[in-house]
């Protein structure tokens, strides 16, 4: 077995943050929450779990991190729908800041005198 040709039951997906490796029950257990909570944040379109061939929800580690953030907000008293909106807005802000930094970097490379 080499790094170039992963083998095993997961086919080299152990490091893949987006691989849907966790069932709903396991995800809820790992987060210390209920399956209903996972359904609620799915209904609010915060995360969209992939479906297995049998139609069962499967969650990735990335989705579990988002769900954990939602649970954190809900545990602080924020309604589920509001928590989901907050996380979506946080994600949009982070993306906008990343794009802005890229534009600034490109502008500085194009004209070093404007770098500030």
């Amino acid at each position: 077995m080499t790094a170039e040709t992963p083998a095993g039951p997961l086919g080299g997906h152990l490091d893949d943050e987006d691989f849907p490796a966790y069932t709903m029950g396991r995800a809820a257990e790992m987060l210390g929450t209920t399956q209903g909570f996972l359904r609620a944040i799915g209904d609010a379109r915060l995360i969209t779990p992939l479906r297995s061939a049998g139609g069962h929800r499967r969650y990735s580690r990335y989705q579990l991190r988002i769900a954990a953030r939602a649970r954190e907000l809900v545990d602080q008293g924020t309604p589920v729908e509001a928590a989901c909106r907050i996380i979506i807005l946080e994600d949009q802000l982070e993306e906008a800041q990343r794009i802005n930094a890229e534009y600034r970097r490109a502008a500085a490379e194009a004209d070093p005198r404007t770098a500030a």
Side-chain angles (χ1 to χ4, degrees):
M1 173 177 8
T2 66
E4 293 81 26
T5 56
L10 295 179
H13 295 290
L14 291 175
D15 293 330
D16 186 351
E17 291 285 309
D18 296 316
F19 183 71
Y22 304 97
T23 63
M24 177 180 271
R26 180 67 179 129
E29 180 184 315
M30 290 171 67
L31 295 170
T33 190
T34 64
Q35 293 180 15
F37 175 78
L38 291 174
R39 283 189 203 92
I41 63 174
D43 291 344
R45 298 180 192 255
L46 180 61
I47 59 175
T48 304
L50 291 161
R51 298 282 182 150
S52 69
H56 299 282
R57 291 174 178 89
R58 301 286 181 175
Y59 297 89
S60 68
R61 286 188 307 209
Y62 174 75
Q63 290 172 325
L64 293 183
R65 275 198 308 279
I66 293 171
R69 173 71 176 126
R71 178 165 184 239
E72 189 178 289
L73 290 170
V74 169
D75 286 350
Q76 294 171 3
T78 307
V80 171
E81 297 82 12
C84 292
R85 185 68 183 140
I86 288 168
I87 294 166
I88 290 167
L89 290 171
E90 287 174 343
D91 187 53
Q92 289 173 346
L93 175 60
E94 184 179 321
E95 179 68 8
Q97 289 173 333
R98 185 191 61 74
I99 291 169
N100 194 9
E102 285 178 14
Y103 285 145
R104 284 188 177 150
R105 218 174 357 265
E109 289 174 3
D111 185 2
R113 294 174 294 151
T114 62

